[in-house]
Amino acid sequence: MSKIKELLNKRYGYFILFLFLLWLKTYMAYWIEFSLGVSGIMENIILVINPIATGVIVLSIALFFKSPNLRKWIMFTLLLLMTLLLYVNVLYYREFADFLTFNIVSSTNNVTPALFTSTFEMMRAWDLLYWVDIMLFAYLFFYKKKAPLTEDRKTYKRRTKTLVTSLGVLLLAGNLILAEIDRPELLTRTFDRNYIVKYLGLNFFTGYDVFQASQNSQMRVSADESDLAKVFNFSAENHAAPNPEYFGVAEDRNVIVIALESVQQFLIDYELEDEYGETHEVMPFLSSIYNDEASYSFENFFHQTSQGKSSDAEVLGELSLYGLPQGSAFQTLGSTNTFHSAPNILDQHGDYTSAAFHGNVGSFWNRTDTYRSFGYDFFFDSEFYDVSGERSMEYGLKDKLFFHDSVEYLEQLPQPFYSKFITVSHHFPYPLDEQNVEFPAARTGDDTINNFFVTAHYADQALEEFFNYLKSSGLYDDSIIVMYGDHYGISDMRNPDLAPLVGEDPDEWDDYHNTQIQRVPYIMHVPGVDNGEVFDTYSGQVDMLPTLMHLLGMETKGYLFMGQDILSEEHDNTVPLRNGRVITPEYTFFEQEIYDTETGEPLHDQFTEEELEALYRYRDEAREELNHSNEILMKDLLRFYNPEPLDELKEIDYLYRNQMDVLEAHPRKDTSLIEQRDGASTTNLYQTDAPEMAGPESGASEEYSDSPGQPE
């Protein structure tokens, strides 16, 4: 006690002690309460620093008050508030594995169940450690008025006070630099709130979240129905009438959407040569479905994602809108906006049940909140799977286990249903346990590229197992199965190393090649049809929803879609990418450069100024589509417009907990697969060779375990 008294009687005594206490309890929460995935020296250093930087800045506010007693009380109040912020996040994280956001707190539907209903169940005995210092100082300040805990009463010089605040700002700047070095584009891409807290701290995250909410709110508040005019006119002119040959061929069927993580078009029918000169098809099953007579497949289909990556693909595929120019629409707008999404549209058109499946945490890309806004009835995230030990890799449950373990939920869904499966095994940097390796690695100087083919083969095997289950369970014939590559797998930086494997010269690889390789597979497999083919139509992910709706026999006229039905004879073969590049069958546009799409020959110098001006207008009109999409999202324009039959959007008022109870009470429960089988589960029909399912003595083929470039 004498040491504390001695410290507090010194200048900055309270400041130093309160800062230390704040750092201690925050650092304790980082390790005990939050699953931040800290690894490596750099991340550990950052974790030590980040509570200090914002703590210095916040507590230094008290130093600018002249009265010593007032300074003490303000500093104590600031410590109390930051402790409260920390603790409510601890309670929320224990239940939802996520951090509180402004949008959650400001939403009654979120606050009530999340913070109050089960608060006492979330409390632990050691929670006293977060409050013991607060209780001690409250006791001393309120009841021990003559306590010897009085700070030095000398006046602080303005220069000194400013210096302390500046020190906090410098620490924060250093923290930001370290974070940028270890995790580039952290704030612009905003993968997951866990990342921001890990790298920049809980206090910073809270301030950043409030700032983002404020920015979004200002743009949203300034909008009104008059802003719809240009967008509505564009959408009406952009509408492509359905092709009678394909309209309704999948009417009333279940919809099973599979996001093929990082799968690019060049993997279709691709054979990789091993070190012995033998060739091996990388994705034989996906390629067979791609070429099947029951599939409508597209060879010039481009991903149109940006910083939002997989979440952008979901925006494109389920809203027919583009993601944002910066960051993720899921992260930025998913909790607040009104969406005319596939789950809501199919529910209104055909009484579809909707469910999303993902073997990662629901907070990643803010999926839990966004899916509620999309109107998903159910979302099965990592909380509903066993993701322990060797069953998972960095981004979640391995694909073979993911599909297998999803069956117990899929069979419970009332039919018809709209379901989405988000795979993760074929995800950068493409690690894979040796027990799962059954394919040779490529032999380049880049291990990421080498292992890209190994994980793609594993993903293909998982997909085939899932198809086999669909057939044996009877779901196959009653469904349309939609598969799409969500975004590129090999980045522009690595593409020159990839070039020889795709028949290109690395020395000649340029922006044209970087653009053309953004093709990804898009397959709509409709069991029973025989008019499938591989189309050469130029299209993109924004076209997925109107194409699906027409296959289901649902009209799209009146919806504010940026995309068109790819199978329509009126489809416009112009593909805007999110970075502003535009691709047509004839031309590929960059800023001022124009390439021949087929040959890659630069064409700029071959046109007159008048011809260039005409072509640039063509490019700019395509880019205008991106601007219309930005208007819809950033101003939340869909709240002003509900096309028939979306007269009332579905509101999901629970946080995807106790979902099996919700399914049990569903009014159309009798239409589920398991009920149609008189309660007999179909899980035993699922056949997998995943070694994790067979016990420690079972293993995958070791044929290529010693191949160069395999992950250790």
Side-chain angles (χ1 to χ4, degrees):
M1 189 67 179
S2 60
K3 292 292 184 181
I4 296 178
K5 173 186 174 183
E6 184 180 344
L7 173 64
L8 294 179
N9 283 332
K10 290 182 178 180
R11 183 169 293 189
Y12 297 107
Y14 279 109
F15 183 89
I16 294 172
L17 180 59
F18 285 3
L19 180 62
F20 172 75
L21 292 171
L22 176 65
W23 172 85
L24 182 63
K25 63 179 79 176
T26 303
Y27 193 69
M28 178 180 72
Y30 283 169
W31 284 107
I32 297 176
E33 309 289 357
F34 307 141
S35 299
L36 300 180
V38 180
S39 62
I41 296 175
M42 177 71 84
E43 291 186 7
N44 276 280
I45 291 173
I46 291 173
L47 205 69
V48 171
I49 293 174
N50 73 41
I52 300 175
T54 52
V56 169
I57 294 172
V58 173
L59 290 175
S60 69
I61 295 172
L63 302 180
F64 288 86
F65 293 85
K66 292 183 178 181
S67 167
N69 196 52
L70 183 59
R71 283 199 301 266
K72 177 182 68 176
W73 277 105
I74 291 176
M75 207 172 297
F76 173 74
T77 302
L78 292 171
L79 176 64
L80 172 64
L81 292 175
M82 286 188 285
T83 299
L84 180 62
L85 173 66
L86 174 65
Y87 187 62
V88 294
N89 272 279
V90 165
L91 294 178
Y92 190 80
Y93 201 95
R94 285 174 183 168
E95 178 69 13
F96 301 107
D98 199 1
F99 296 98
L100 274 172
T101 65
F102 177 82
N103 291 325
I104 290 289
V105 174
S106 61
S107 170
T108 303
N109 287 339
N110 285 329
V111 171
T112 302
L115 295 181
F116 300 115
T117 305
S118 57
T119 297
F120 290 106
E121 285 87 354
M122 291 185 287
M123 290 182 174
R124 304 291 183 268
W126 63 80
D127 289 357
L128 285 173
L129 294 174
Y130 294 108
W131 296 102
V132 64
D133 59 330
I134 299 296
M135 292 185 289
L136 175 62
F137 282 104
Y139 172 74
L140 293 173
F141 291 168
F142 280 105
Y143 297 105
K144 293 288 185 180
K145 296 182 179 180
K146 295 183 179 180
L149 297 178
T150 56
E151 192 180 22
D152 178 65
R153 291 181 171 270
K154 293 182 180 179
T155 304
Y156 291 89
K157 295 181 179 179
R158 178 173 293 275
R159 182 178 61 184
T160 306
K161 293 181 286 190
T162 304
L163 186 63
V164 173
T165 305
S166 300
L167 175 62
V169 173
L170 286 173
L171 285 171
L172 181 58
N175 191 172
L176 285 165
I177 291 171
L178 290 176
E180 181 66 21
I181 292 172
D182 198 60
R183 190 76 180 187
E185 297 182 308
L186 173 67
L187 294 180
T188 55
R189 293 189 64 182
T190 320
F191 288 104
D192 188 347
R193 290 186 271 269
N194 282 286
Y195 284 101
I196 298 180
V197 172
K198 175 170 69 173
Y199 283 101
L200 299 173
L202 184 60
N203 292 331
F204 182 94
F205 162 73
T206 302
Y208 177 72
D209 176 64
V210 171
F211 172 77
Q212 275 199 318
S214 174
Q215 292 290 99
N216 297 336
S217 177
Q218 288 180 12
M219 179 174 282
R220 188 178 187 275
V221 168
S222 67
D224 57 39
E225 293 186 44
S226 64
D227 293 309
L228 272 171
K230 288 183 179 180
V231 176
F232 190 86
N233 290 337
F234 169 82
S235 181
E237 294 173 2
N238 190 53
H239 177 261
N243 188 326
E245 182 180 355
Y246 307 106
F247 188 79
V249 299
E251 189 171 3
D252 297 328
R253 294 196 186 209
N254 298 315
V255 179
I256 299 173
V257 178
I258 303 173
L260 303 170
E261 173 66 42
S262 302
V263 174
Q264 295 181 236
Q265 176 65 21
F266 71 82
L267 287 173
I268 299 296
D269 296 324
Y270 185 86
E271 294 184 347
L272 182 71
E273 185 177 295
D274 67 16
E275 59 183 325
Y276 307 109
E278 297 181 3
T279 58
H280 308 268
E281 192 168 1
V282 179
M283 304 192 78
F285 180 73
L286 181 64
S287 298
S288 70
I289 296 297
Y290 178 86
N291 294 297
D292 193 276
E293 67 175 5
S295 296
Y296 307 116
S297 304
F298 303 88
E299 63 183 3
N300 293 309
F301 182 82
F302 291 81
H303 84 84
Q304 297 167 297
T305 68
S306 184
Q307 293 176 333
K309 287 296 195 63
S310 299
S311 66
D312 275 4
E314 294 179 74
V315 171
L316 286 152
E318 296 188 283
L319 303 178
S320 194
L321 298 174
Y322 295 88
L324 299 177
Q326 288 186 326
S328 163
F330 267 40
Q331 198 76 39
T332 307
L333 308 171
S335 305
T336 57
N337 270 31
T338 298
F339 299 110
H340 296 170
S341 64
N344 251 318
I345 292 171
L346 267 61
D347 173 64
Q348 299 286 342
H349 269 287
D351 204 18
Y352 275 71
T353 309
S354 55
F357 301 83
H358 185 39
N360 199 350
V361 294
S363 64
F364 199 79
W365 287 128
N366 192 35
R367 281 192 170 98
T368 299
D369 293 344
T370 305
Y371 286 170
R372 292 176 67 244
S373 298
F374 274 26
Y376 268 103
D377 295 305
F378 305 98
F379 175 32
F380 299 97
D381 66 355
S382 59
E383 294 291 318
F384 293 85
Y385 298 92
D386 177 5
V387 296
S388 61
E390 63 182 11
R391 293 176 61 86
S392 295
M393 299 298 284
E394 181 177 357
Y395 286 93
L397 192 62
K398 297 175 184 176
D399 287 356
K400 288 186 179 181
L401 304 174
F402 168 58
F403 282 126
H404 174 276
D405 293 357
S406 296
V407 167
E408 67 172 301
Y409 307 121
L410 183 66
E411 66 180 4
Q412 304 274 355
L413 296 181
Q415 301 184 72
F417 58 71
Y418 173 86
S419 61
K420 177 173 62 178
F421 295 83
I422 302 172
T423 62
V424 298
S425 290
H426 185 51
H427 195 297
F428 176 84
Y430 312 110
L432 197 64
D433 286 351
E434 186 174 339
Q435 64 178 336
N436 301 125
V437 174
E438 297 187 2
F439 198 79
R443 292 170 294 119
T444 72
D446 189 320
D447 284 344
T448 296
I449 294 176
N450 296 342
N451 295 327
F452 174 84
F453 298 93
V454 182
T455 54
H457 186 73
Y458 173 86
D460 187 68
Q461 291 178 318
L463 186 65
E464 183 174 15
E465 291 179 351
F466 184 51
F467 262 71
N468 289 338
Y469 161 76
L470 293 176
K471 292 176 180 179
S472 62
S473 67
L475 285 176
Y476 177 77
D477 291 327
D478 295 331
S479 302
I480 172 175
I481 302 134
V482 180
M483 291 157 282
Y484 70 92
D486 60 354
H487 52 73
Y488 65 81
I490 304 298
S491 65
D492 289 356
M493 177 185 68
R494 300 178 187 276
N495 278 334
D497 291 324
L498 176 69
L501 297 178
V502 292
E504 299 290 345
D505 185 344
D507 296 328
E508 296 181 2
W509 194 277
D510 56 16
D511 284 339
Y512 162 80
H513 296 89
N514 282 332
T515 302
Q516 297 302 320
I517 206 168
Q518 302 309 314
R519 288 173 172 84
V520 294
Y522 180 43
I523 308 167
M524 295 178 292
H525 185 68
V526 188
V529 306
D530 58 6
N531 64 341
E533 64 178 284
V534 177
F535 296 86
D536 61 2
T537 312
Y538 274 66
S539 55
Q541 291 167 326
V542 75
D543 299 319
M544 291 168 59
L545 180 56
T547 307
L548 173 64
M549 286 180 62
H550 284 174
L551 285 179
L552 295 174
M554 301 177 183
E555 182 54 69
T556 59
K557 195 170 186 178
Y559 287 98
L560 296 184
F561 290 162
M562 296 297 103
Q564 299 175 324
D565 179 357
I566 312 174
L567 295 170
S568 170
E569 295 178 354
E570 300 175 3
H571 182 271
D572 180 3
N573 285 6
T574 302
V575 185
L577 302 187
R578 182 66 267 193
N579 58 14
R581 296 177 180 179
V582 177
I583 307 164
T584 75
E586 296 82 21
Y587 305 114
T588 297
F589 297 88
F590 293 167
E591 290 303 320
Q592 299 300 320
E593 189 54 83
I594 304 174
Y595 289 90
D596 184 301
T597 294
E598 186 174 346
T599 67
E601 178 187 1
L603 300 177
H604 183 277
D605 295 337
Q606 299 182 20
F607 296 109
T608 65
E609 288 297 323
E610 290 182 356
E611 290 173 330
L612 284 174
E613 186 176 346
L615 286 173
Y616 287 152
R617 282 202 302 269
Y618 188 67
R619 173 203 64 185
D620 293 341
E621 286 173 2
R623 291 179 176 177
E624 189 65 24
E625 189 173 300
L626 300 174
N627 294 330
H628 288 310
S629 179
N630 292 343
E631 289 274 302
I632 291 174
L633 286 176
M634 297 304 296
K635 294 184 177 181
D636 192 16
L637 296 183
L638 296 183
R639 62 191 154 130
F640 300 122
Y641 176 66
N642 278 341
E644 294 183 2
L646 288 184
D647 52 353
E648 184 176 346
L649 295 177
K650 184 192 304 179
E651 294 185 5
I652 305 301
D653 58 0
Y654 74 108
L655 291 176
Y656 300 124
R657 296 296 183 265
N658 304 318
Q659 294 188 103
M660 302 310 290
D661 293 339
V662 177
L663 279 168
E664 182 65 27
H666 199 285
R668 292 191 296 109
K669 173 188 173 184
D670 62 316
T671 64
S672 68
L673 178 63
I674 193 170
E675 289 298 320
Q676 290 179 348
R677 293 169 54 90
D678 297 323
S681 175
T682 61
T683 55
N684 63 314
L685 300 177
Y686 202 106
Q687 301 297 313
T688 176
D689 66 0
E692 299 87 354
M693 298 289 295
E697 296 181 0
S698 175
S701 169
E702 298 180 0
E703 181 179 355
Y704 296 105
S705 60
D706 295 325
S707 296
Q710 294 300 119
E712 297 180 358

